[in-house]
Amino acid sequence: AAETQRQAAESRAHVAHLSRQVADVQRERTSLKEAVLVRDSEIEALRDSYKAVWTQSDSQGRLLKARRSVEAGFRARALALEAALSSSSSEIREAGLRDNGSNDFPRNGS
């Protein structure tokens, strides 16, 4: 009888020890699940941030291309206007030289 009680006590102690180990493993498992959830949310946040930066970069690239295109158009117009003004000035000068001093275009306030 005493031996049976001793074995029962050892079995209860062993069961209690195993129960504590199971509880420890369950706490660790819960902690790891929480860490995985936190890590997943961090990864998702980084992914969203990357997408936002990529989209912004893509938009800025498109805006830069559009700006360069507009600037090139303005430069082309400026060159065309400059050429037209130069041509007009030449034509006016040539007309003045051909006029040979007629009074259609008075000079020096005369």
Side-chain angles (χ1 to χ4, degrees):
E3 182 63 26
T4 305
Q5 287 179 347
R6 187 185 61 75
Q7 287 177 351
E10 284 179 4
S11 292
R12 284 191 298 272
H14 187 64
V15 167
H17 175 72
L18 292 176
S19 293
R20 284 190 299 275
Q21 284 184 331
V22 167
D24 289 345
V25 168
Q26 287 175 337
R27 276 193 299 276
E28 187 176 345
R29 182 174 176 230
T30 301
S31 176
L32 288 172
K33 281 183 176 181
E34 290 171 356
V36 166
L37 290 175
V38 167
R39 184 58 45 114
D40 285 349
S41 66
E42 289 173 349
I43 289 171
E44 191 62 32
L46 286 172
R47 190 176 290 137
D48 291 345
S49 176
Y50 174 78
K51 286 179 186 175
V53 167
W54 180 260
T55 301
Q56 182 181 7
S57 174
D58 186 48
S59 296
Q60 287 176 344
R62 290 179 187 184
L63 287 173
L64 184 60
K65 286 179 184 176
R67 178 179 159 201
R68 287 181 180 159
S69 175
V70 168
E71 287 174 347
F74 282 148
R75 279 194 297 276
R77 281 185 177 167
L79 289 173
L81 285 172
E82 189 177 317
L85 286 173
S86 175
S87 174
S88 296
S89 296
S90 296
E91 290 174 8
I92 290 171
R93 264 187 264 118
E94 288 176 14
L97 292 174
R98 281 192 305 250
D99 192 22
N100 285 329
S102 80
N103 288 332
D104 290 342
F105 296 103
R107 293 188 179 138
N108 295 332
S110 34

